[in-house]
Amino acid sequence: MPKKKTGARKKAEKQRERQKEIRTAQESRGIVQQPCNLHMECDKCQRRQKNRAFCYFCQSVQKLPTCGHCGKSKCMQKSGDCVVKHPGNYTTGLQMVGAICDFCEAFICHGRKCLTTHACSCPLTDAVCVECDRSVWEHGGRMFLCSFCDNHLCEDDQFEHQASCQKIESETLKCASCNRLGQYSCLRCKVCFCDEHVRRKGVKYPRGQALPCPKCSHPTKETREQSMSTHKLDYGKQQLGFGDRSDSDDDVGYHGYVEHDYVVNDDSSSTDDSDDDDGLPSAVDNLTV
């Protein structure tokens, strides 16, 4: 018979499972919950911004920096993987800092694991807003991911972009390769595909997973599950409100277009002074508005 587990062994197994769950949760958390993308309030100007080494507005150094990889602001490891050993002392402030990340502009602590792994796994490595083309160094806000197309967004454009992201560039919801109704939509390419053209020939797709886009390999979504809209071209009278104009409008264009009725004057007695040298009346003088 197997030996009965003691209380200490059960406690150690539960602690091991709990630590494994914590590590898995840290790897799968979103970009908003990353320590390098958390909210920070400047000590000097009191402005809220993204976690960074220097204030974006006043360029002052923070008194209690937060590590952009592990999220700690106080090193309590008396003996560990710290590059700078501090036995018997707790370090805070600049004593805990080991480097500054070039991508997220945040302080990294002097732990060996954070210094060696953060630069390769920084979530803001290629974080450029798809709307305004600004990186982390060009604005003070946080970075987000669009819930539809998975593109990076800055804090100023996140709501406006996501409100208009479910939109197809074509005028109909038909497949881009044929004339059938597009059952699958790629929200990154803004193109619809039917059930036949969304699959590549000779490629096996696993069951239960979303079909990738044939153009960009981004996971597609079913059109009926999304609030998809089409690209509409508003021009001319439809855009400028031709039917709502008043008679006193003098603008140039469709909105201010005024019809003139030209009437030819049949009275030949008024053409005595307007005769040319050949004795022919001028056609311009016979036109009256």
Side-chain angles (χ1 to χ4, degrees):
M1 292 180 62
K3 294 183 179 180
K4 187 177 180 180
K5 295 182 180 180
T6 60
R9 186 177 179 182
K10 291 181 180 179
K11 184 177 180 180
E13 290 181 354
K14 289 182 179 180
Q15 185 177 4
R16 194 180 302 111
E17 293 178 358
R18 178 58 180 165
Q19 290 177 355
K20 186 177 180 181
E21 292 178 357
I22 292 175
R23 287 194 299 268
T24 306
Q26 289 180 355
E27 295 176 356
S28 61
R29 57 186 173 184
I31 190 174
V32 183
Q33 300 175 351
Q34 296 291 338
C36 60
N37 201 29
L38 295 177
H39 269 301
M40 182 195 75
E41 186 174 349
C42 179
D43 301 331
K44 187 175 181 180
C45 63
Q46 306 298 325
R47 291 190 178 183
R48 297 193 67 183
Q49 54 193 292
K50 175 194 154 304
N51 180 22
R52 57 182 71 239
F54 307 95
C55 177
Y56 179 78
F57 303 99
C58 63
Q59 303 297 324
S60 62
V61 183
Q62 305 305 306
K63 294 181 180 179
L64 291 176
T66 303
C67 178
H69 186 78
C70 59
K72 65 181 180 181
S73 58
K74 183 178 183 179
C75 184
M76 302 177 64
Q77 296 182 2
K78 297 182 180 180
S79 62
D81 63 342
C82 297
V83 177
V84 181
K85 301 298 181 180
H86 48 90
N89 296 323
Y90 296 155
T91 58
T92 57
L94 294 179
Q95 296 179 356
M96 189 196 69
V97 174
I100 299 177
C101 181
D102 292 334
F103 304 113
C104 61
E105 200 185 349
F107 277 129
I108 308 299
C109 67
H110 59 215
R112 190 179 301 275
K113 180 181 178 182
C114 296
L115 291 175
T116 55
T117 60
H118 177 77
C120 299
S121 62
C122 181
L124 303 180
T125 302
D126 54 349
V128 179
C129 180
V130 70
E131 290 288 339
C132 59
D133 294 335
R134 293 188 300 174
S135 61
V136 178
W137 292 78
E138 296 173 353
H139 68 96
R142 297 194 298 169
M143 297 298 295
F144 298 88
L145 284 177
C146 179
S147 57
F148 303 109
C149 62
D150 290 339
N151 285 321
H152 286 94
L153 297 171
C154 65
E155 198 166 358
D156 300 330
D157 299 328
Q158 58 160 333
F159 296 110
E160 183 178 357
H161 172 83
Q162 294 190 81
S164 60
C165 187
Q166 299 185 73
K167 187 175 182 180
I168 299 299
E169 294 296 335
S170 60
E171 298 182 3
T172 58
L173 293 176
K174 294 183 178 180
C175 177
S177 302
C178 62
N179 203 25
R180 287 182 291 182
L181 182 64
Q183 301 180 7
Y184 298 91
S185 302
C186 177
L187 294 174
R188 179 169 290 183
C189 298
K190 310 298 182 185
V191 181
C192 291
F193 298 97
C194 62
D195 192 15
E196 179 181 354
H197 291 98
V198 75
R199 304 174 185 270
R200 296 180 180 178
K201 295 183 180 180
V203 179
K204 294 183 179 180
Y205 298 98
R207 292 185 178 181
Q209 296 184 6
L211 296 173
C213 175
K215 295 179 64 178
C216 64
S217 300
H218 184 264
T220 59
K221 297 181 181 180
E222 293 191 14
T223 308
R224 61 183 180 180
E225 296 179 356
Q226 305 295 322
S227 177
M228 303 300 296
S229 60
T230 57
H231 184 66
K232 185 184 292 185
L233 295 175
D234 294 336
Y235 55 89
K237 299 179 182 180
Q238 298 178 0
Q239 181 184 11
L240 297 175
F242 181 79
D244 299 335
R245 69 173 181 83
S246 59
D247 296 336
S248 61
D249 291 333
D250 295 329
D251 299 332
V252 179
Y254 288 101
H255 184 67
Y257 179 76
V258 181
E259 297 181 356
H260 297 282
D261 296 331
Y262 293 95
V263 180
V264 179
N265 190 1
D266 295 335
D267 189 5
S268 61
S269 61
S270 61
T271 61
D272 296 339
D273 299 336
S274 62
D275 292 341
D276 295 337
D277 297 338
D278 297 337
L280 297 177
S282 177
V284 178
D285 295 334
N286 291 337
L287 296 178
T288 59
V289 180

